[in-house]
Amino acid sequence: MSKFAKKKDGEVPAVSTASLPDIVFMLLFFFMTVTVMKDSSLKVENILPNASEIKKLEKKDRVIYIYVGKPTKEYEKVFGKEPKIQLNDKFSDPSEVGDYILMERAKKSQELQNVLTTSLKVDKNASMGLISDIKQELRKVNALKVNYTTYEGDAFRNLQ
Amino acid sequence: MARRAGAPEVSAGSMADIAFLLLIFFLVTTTIETDAGLDRMLPPWEPPTDEPPIIKQKNIFTVNINRNGQLLVEDEIVEITKLREKAVAFLDNGGAPSGDPDFCNYCKGTRDGSSSDNPTKAIISLKNDRETKYSTYITVQNELVGAYNDLRNREAMRLYKKNFVDMEAEYLNPETSDEVKEELKDKVKQIQELFPQKLSEAETSSD
């Protein structure tokens, strides 16, 4: 009898926190699956221009990125101040763009290879000469769908 | 002071802390942003083997950007803020007389005989210098795309009481159901045919 009496000590039982880790893990897995790791760190300054008539780039697996801008402070000494092209993690010449596109295209699955878009993330202070060179290279490898990636905003703010 | 018998339980209290730490790490290092921008098609590389089609000068709207970001539109210096207006006026002109096969029955322009015949014939030709700043180029592109969108919106409003840009966005959205997509496809296509985007870009000049 005394065995049962012992339990009624009068203390309120603590709320069980045993399921808290499960909830948090669920959240964790959710974020792990829906988000994408930043795959390349930027070595160029990349302040995009503004535009208002924009379309969203849906489906990240169909996009190839090309970054253009002038090298950031730490690379300035080696690569100078002129705008450069960054492909994956290294600086490149316009002539390497074609090979890069072909390589990236080969990595994608067969049915996606014809629907790829090239996203040009170009700093607003770059000059058009470099962009024209890239466009020529893209035309040579038949990567005709391009997206000039921009921020959403008033386009006239670019001119200031 | 009687102690309970059996092995002591391993405390799981800190498990939540560990999981939170991981969660916060992933929240900080990952991005969910979707990029957006101006979609463009480049012309194919292969030079056309046959004779280039003859295009009447009045159906071409030339835009030149120089290295200082100034615009020369149809041989006149134009402020960039006026570009959209000018482009709309050109595309919507509908200069062909009624009865002509090129007659445009939905145009609301001035029907000037010396400007474009029909929106389907009208071509905008964009040329820029190698020294032109990218931001200026994007602004010009934005205004030209905006001109097309303004006209397409007007026609979509008239025909379907809907905004064209919204219709297209809904059509391209992967979450839209197939039936809705199928229905939108024809409408979007029809509006696009009324005002096809004919934007040609010449090779850049180096001087």
Side-chain angles (χ1 to χ4, degrees), chain B residues 46-54:
Chain B
E46 277 156 76
T49 43
D50 43 48
E51 294 272 305
I54 298 155

Side-chain angles (χ1 to χ4, degrees), chain B residues 105-118:
Chain B
N105 54 15
Y106 51 88
C107 293
K108 299 200 172 115
T110 50
R111 306 210 176 262
D112 178 3
S114 61
S115 188
S116 77
D117 282 333
N118 189 300

Side-chain angles (χ1 to χ4, degrees), chain A residues 82-120:
Chain A
E82 281 303 298
K84 285 263 182 193
I85 303 169
Q86 184 189 344
L87 304 173
N88 273 341
D89 265 341
K90 60 178 200 292
F91 291 106
S92 313
D93 280 333
S95 55
E96 291 168 74
V97 170
D99 291 339
Y100 169 74
I101 295 288
L102 291 177
M103 227 166 65
E104 290 291 313
R105 192 187 285 167
K107 279 186 207 162
K108 312 272 180 193
S109 63
Q110 195 81 49
E111 63 270 22
L112 290 184
Q113 290 190 357
N114 293 322
V115 292
L116 293 176
T117 306
T118 312
S119 160
L120 292 172

